[in-house]
Amino acid sequence: DAKTTQPPSMDCAEGRAANLPCNHSTISGNEYVYWYRQIHSQGPQYIIHGLKNNETNEMASLIITEDRKSSTLILPHATLRDTAVYYCIVRSPRETSYDKVIFGPGTSLSVIP
Amino acid sequence: DAGVIQSPRHEVTEMGQEVTLRCKPISGHNSLFWYRQTMMRGLELLIYFNNNVPIDDSGMPEDRFSAKMPNASFSTLKIQPSEPRDSAVYFCASSSERDGYNEQFFGPGTRLTVL
């Protein structure tokens, strides 16, 4: 039971911003939103996470709506190397549950030259 | 840091044979996970260890699968006997509590083919 809904696939032109949506309408107040990605033939890679505030790091930005029912991962200037499957995951904080991470089918992002 | 190390990277075996997959987590990490990935079922959590103790093995498909973590730097996933439907990529991941959250670091995976 993945708790999140993502579009199965998206395209993005190289150099443009990639905006990947995720719906998590049943998220609880103490649950975090995490994003991972998996480049072909590699293991998943952590990107970013957040609770209710927008977050930014060297890889991406995470925008969470005020009601927390959805979020958007933004890759500001997509490159061909960003072609991957992106997973949006809802997790409880470690102090209330263990590390269980449930991966859904994710969004397959294709960055086009 | 070498990251999570898995061996072998590729394994081809015949049905009925025993298969052992190995994982060395990142030094200092106290949580270890085994996942399986197939086209049909996606990425599935098989088992989770914390401080070398199995916490949740509800994802282990059946008794043919077993996992051990004899110490903090080594874990094995064993399939005996193997079947063609076990063909998949098996990932090991590790994590450590830091700043209130856990980022899981994944290894490169072992691609298992059972003929």
Side-chain angles (χ1 to χ4, degrees), chain A residues 48-112:
Chain A
I48 198 168
H49 79 285
L51 182 62
K52 54 185 176 181
N53 297 323
N54 297 338
E55 302 288 344
T56 296
N57 63 20
E58 64 278 5
M59 290 183 68
S61 295
L62 174 60
I63 308 297
I64 302 174
T65 58
E66 190 168 346
D67 64 6
R68 303 208 325 121
K69 293 183 183 298
S70 66
S71 60
T72 301
L73 179 75
I74 301 173
L75 308 178
H77 305 287
T79 71
L80 299 179
R81 289 173 294 180
D82 292 322
T83 293
V85 177
Y86 287 77
Y87 300 99
C88 171
I89 297 157
V90 168
R91 290 176 61 184
S92 295
R94 181 177 175 87
E95 53 269 24
T96 63
S97 72
Y98 76 86
D99 272 343
K100 191 162 188 173
V101 175
I102 307 295
F103 286 86
T107 295
S108 178
L109 174 69
S110 296
V111 179
I112 302 169

Side-chain angles (χ1 to χ4, degrees), chain B:
Chain B
D1 193 338
V4 175
I5 299 173
Q6 292 187 247
S7 64
R9 293 295 308 278
H10 302 273
E11 176 79 26
V12 180
T13 190
E14 293 186 345
M15 182 174 63
Q17 296 297 307
E18 177 180 296
V19 174
T20 299
L21 310 181
R22 298 172 177 79
C23 175
K24 177 179 170 55
I26 293 173
S27 177
H29 283 193
N30 61 337
S31 295
L32 184 138
F33 310 82
W34 282 101
Y35 290 86
R36 177 174 70 175
Q37 187 170 38
T38 62
M39 288 293 294
M40 291 296 293
R41 301 176 66 87
L43 196 60
E44 304 172 278
L45 176 65
L46 300 178
I47 188 169
Y48 157 68
F49 290 88
N50 183 251
N51 293 322
N52 313 336
V53 176
I55 303 299
D56 184 351
D57 64 355
S58 59
M60 295 287 264
E62 49 197 273
D63 292 346
R64 296 186 297 107
F65 285 69
S66 62
K68 294 182 179 180
M69 191 165 186
N71 57 62
S73 60
F74 184 66
S75 176
T76 59
L77 178 66
K78 185 177 293 186
I79 308 172
Q80 166 64 16
S82 59
E83 297 182 3
R85 60 189 168 125
D86 301 330
S87 297
V89 180
Y90 291 80
F91 289 103
C92 176
S94 69
S95 69
S96 176
E97 190 164 6
R98 177 184 65 174
D99 298 331
Y101 69 91
N102 289 279
E103 173 186 343
Q104 293 190 17
F105 293 82
F106 283 76
T110 294
R111 182 173 295 275
L112 173 66
T113 302
V114 183
L115 302 174

